[in-house]
Amino acid sequence: GPLTVTVVPESPAIVVTVPGGANQTGAEGVPFSAMVMAMSDPPGVPLALSAANLPLGAVFKDNGDGTGILDWLPDFSQSGAYSIEMIATDGTRSASAVLSVEIKDVYATPVFSMRLPETEVSPGETAAIALTASDPEGDPITFELTDSTPYASGSAVLTDNKDGTARLSFSPSKAGYQYLVGAAADPQGNSRAVPILFRAGFPIQAAQSGLWS
C-alpha cells in the first residue's frame, strides 16, 4: 500500500539571556536592576517570563514582549552572593539562565529619631533632653558632644545609656542662645551630628533685633 509519512514540527527552541552579563554586582542601600531577554526559534512564539530564588524585597516584572526586569533595593542586612534563575516558557517548553549577583556590604550612617526642638532654660538652672538614634544595620550606637558655638557657656554633661539613647544635661552660665552639637557613631566610625539649641533667659525679641546676629 502507499507509504504515509507524518511530519511532526520541531518544538521551538527558547533562549534566555541577561544583557548585563551573568555576573553582576550591587551594594546595600543602592537600587539594583537587571534585564532579561528571551527569544524563540523560530521566532514569534509568545513567551512568559518569571524569576525564581528572588531575594527578599526583589520584584520581577514580565513586560510581555520577551523582556523582563528585576528591581531590588537591598537593605543593610543583605550583603552576600545570590543566584537568581530567569525563566522563559511557551507553555510546553522552558529555558532558563542564572544571574549571579554579589551585593557589597555598606556601613550606613546612624539616624536620629527626631529633630530636637529649642529648649528653654534659665541661667544657673539645668535642662535635660533625651537623644535617640539607631543604626540601619543594627550596630551599637555611641553618643558624644562634638562642638559648640562661642555663645555656649555653661556646663554640659552627656550620658550615654548604651542602648541607643542618651541624656544631655545643660546648665548655662549666662543668658543667650546656647548651641551644642551632639553626634551618634557606629563601630565603623560613621557618624551623624545634630544641632541642639538652648535658649537661656533670652527674649525672642532681642534675637529678632539682631543682637546675636
Side-chain angles (χ1 to χ4, degrees):
L3 176 63
T4 302
V5 178
T6 302
V7 178
V8 179
E10 182 180 356
S11 298
I14 301 173
V15 178
V16 180
T17 59
V18 181
N23 298 284
Q24 300 188 30
T25 60
E28 292 176 331
V30 179
F32 174 86
S33 64
M35 176 178 285
V36 60
M37 298 180 63
M39 297 176 290
S40 64
D41 184 17
V45 178
L47 300 174
L49 277 62
S50 61
N53 302 324
L54 283 174
L56 182 66
V59 177
F60 182 82
K61 178 185 178 182
D62 182 356
N63 296 324
D65 59 359
T67 68
I69 188 75
L70 167 70
D71 286 312
W72 182 26
L73 178 59
D75 66 29
F76 290 98
S77 66
Q78 291 186 293
S79 62
Y82 298 84
S83 294
I84 305 169
E85 186 178 14
M86 305 295 199
I87 306 166
T89 180
D90 62 2
T92 302
R93 299 185 59 175
S94 64
S96 64
V98 175
L99 169 64
S100 297
V101 182
E102 179 73 25
I103 299 298
K104 298 179 180 180
D105 195 9
V106 175
Y107 293 112
T109 302
V111 178
F112 280 90
S113 62
M114 60 179 290
R115 182 180 178 88
L116 296 174
E118 178 181 316
T119 302
E120 292 189 29
V121 59
S122 297
E125 297 184 353
T126 299
I129 62 172
L131 304 177
T132 303
S134 61
D135 184 83
E137 296 173 299
D139 289 335
I141 294 293
T142 57
F143 292 88
E144 65 177 351
L145 286 176
T146 63
D147 194 15
S148 63
T149 68
Y151 302 118
S153 59
S155 174
V157 177
L158 180 67
T159 303
D160 189 343
N161 299 320
K162 307 299 183 182
D163 61 358
T165 67
R167 183 176 186 270
L168 173 62
S169 298
F170 180 65
S171 178
S173 59
K174 65 179 183 180
Y177 279 105
Q178 315 290 332
Y179 178 80
L180 305 172
V181 178
D186 65 14
Q188 289 72 37
N190 299 299
S191 65
R192 185 183 299 274
V194 61
I196 305 168
L197 183 64
F198 291 90
R199 184 161 60 88
F202 189 65
I204 295 178
Q205 290 78 7
Q208 291 174 341
S209 69
L211 180 62
W212 290 91
S213 59

